[in-house]
Amino acid sequence: GENVEQHPSTLSVQEGDSAVIKCTYSDSASNYFPWYKQELGKRPQLIIDIRSNVGEKKDQRIAVTLNKTAKHFSLHITETQPEDSAVYFCAASPGGAAGNKLTFGGGTRVLVKP
Amino acid sequence: GAVVSQHPSRVICKSGTSVKIECRSLDFQATTMFWYRQFPKQSLMLMATSNEGSKATYEQGVEKDKFLINHASLTLSTLTVTSAHPEDSSFYICSAPRTGMNTEAFFGQGTRLTVV
């Protein structure tokens, strides 16, 4: 089955700096890669996703890159703000008939210091 | 976006009793739903895939007789934790994909189960 590794497990940045989280996956059949933000006791919230037919996607301060050959994808948050503090999870899915069976990375606890 | 509602949000039960958790897709039909478990400060681990009108598919290491899943309609899946023990205490969360061009998964609010 799919295995998703995520690094780092914790990340502390100064407000205004950038944050980068990296994930690798093992199953070459995976073609959908979402990123979720989870606050304590809450449900994961989708913040951005990318499919295997593109290499990069950006939405305001958030961007995701995908390298299919190397089987890794990254989340970039620029101009970080205190409200970006949360746990972030990457995930991978084969999509299609599997209908979004997600395998999650271990999570990254991000702390943005004012 | 689509809405998935999970109930209850919190439950405390005694060891040996059973607890039922409901997951509803409110504005779309879901032939498939997923159940995850999340221990404190850990990631979401897929427990099983709930299939409308057929048996659930369980991940390796998940006891199907302990975690009963029923997906009787296109908008409702239930997870019953039977004979609960303290080690079953966790955050249980469901998701339902809205298939189509955008296969985004929508999560329920989660259920915090505490077994005492």
Side-chain angles (χ1 to χ4, degrees):
Chain A
E2 175 67 280
N3 182 48
V4 179
E5 299 282 342
Q6 183 172 345
H7 298 280
S9 57
T10 59
L11 180 59
S12 181
V13 297
Q14 206 65 40
E15 181 177 1
D17 288 350
S18 295
V20 180
I21 304 171
K22 298 183 178 181
C23 288
T24 60
Y25 63 99
S26 62
D27 189 350
S28 57
S30 290
N31 61 13
Y32 175 65
F33 307 92
W35 286 88
Y36 291 90
K37 176 182 180 182
Q38 187 181 32
E39 296 178 352
L40 189 63
K42 302 284 183 64
R43 76 184 89 191
Q45 297 279 358
L46 179 71
I47 56 172
I48 196 168
D49 57 13
I50 191 167
R51 299 180 187 280
S52 57
N53 57 346
V54 296
E56 185 173 355
K57 184 177 178 181
K58 188 173 182 179
D59 183 4
Q60 298 183 353
R61 298 187 294 110
I62 296 172
V64 58
T65 59
L66 170 66
N67 183 325
K68 279 185 62 179
T69 303
K71 296 198 189 73
H72 66 69
F73 55 114
S74 301
L75 177 72
H76 304 251
I77 306 174
T78 58
E79 301 173 31
T80 54
Q81 301 167 3
E83 51 265 38
D84 294 330
S85 297
V87 180
Y88 291 79
F89 292 97
C90 63
S93 169
N100 245 263
K101 178 179 178 178
L102 296 170
T103 300
F104 285 85
T108 298
R109 187 171 301 274
V110 174
L111 175 63
V112 180
K113 296 180 287 186
Chain B
V3 178
V4 175
S5 178
Q6 190 173 337
H7 179 81
S9 58
R10 293 178 180 272
V11 59
I12 300 173
C13 71
K14 292 184 178 180
S15 289
T17 62
S18 296
V19 173
K20 180 184 283 188
I21 303 169
E22 293 186 347
C23 180
R24 294 180 184 273
S25 56
L26 297 186
D27 55 355
F28 67 101
Q29 294 181 333
T31 56
T32 302
M33 293 185 178
F34 299 97
W35 287 96
Y36 296 86
R37 179 168 54 184
Q38 186 177 31
F39 290 110
K41 297 187 178 181
Q42 293 189 25
S43 187
L44 289 84
M45 298 300 294
L46 180 66
M47 299 175 65
T49 303
S50 175
N51 304 298
E52 188 270 333
S54 63
K55 291 183 179 180
T57 305
Y58 290 82
E59 296 299 302
Q60 192 172 7
V62 177
E63 299 175 60
K64 62 179 181 180
D65 294 330
K66 180 169 182 61
F67 299 99
L68 301 179
I69 291 173
N70 184 279
H71 195 150
S73 77
L74 287 171
T75 59
L76 174 64
S77 174
T78 60
L79 168 68
T80 301
V81 182
T82 64
S83 187
H85 292 285
E87 56 264 33
D88 297 325
S89 299
S90 187
F91 189 60
Y92 292 86
I93 191 163
C94 66
S95 78
R98 191 171 192 172
T99 56
M101 293 299 291
N102 182 358
T103 56
E104 178 180 349
F106 297 93
F107 285 88
Q109 305 97 311
T111 297
R112 172 74 57 194
L113 170 63
T114 303
V115 184
V116 297

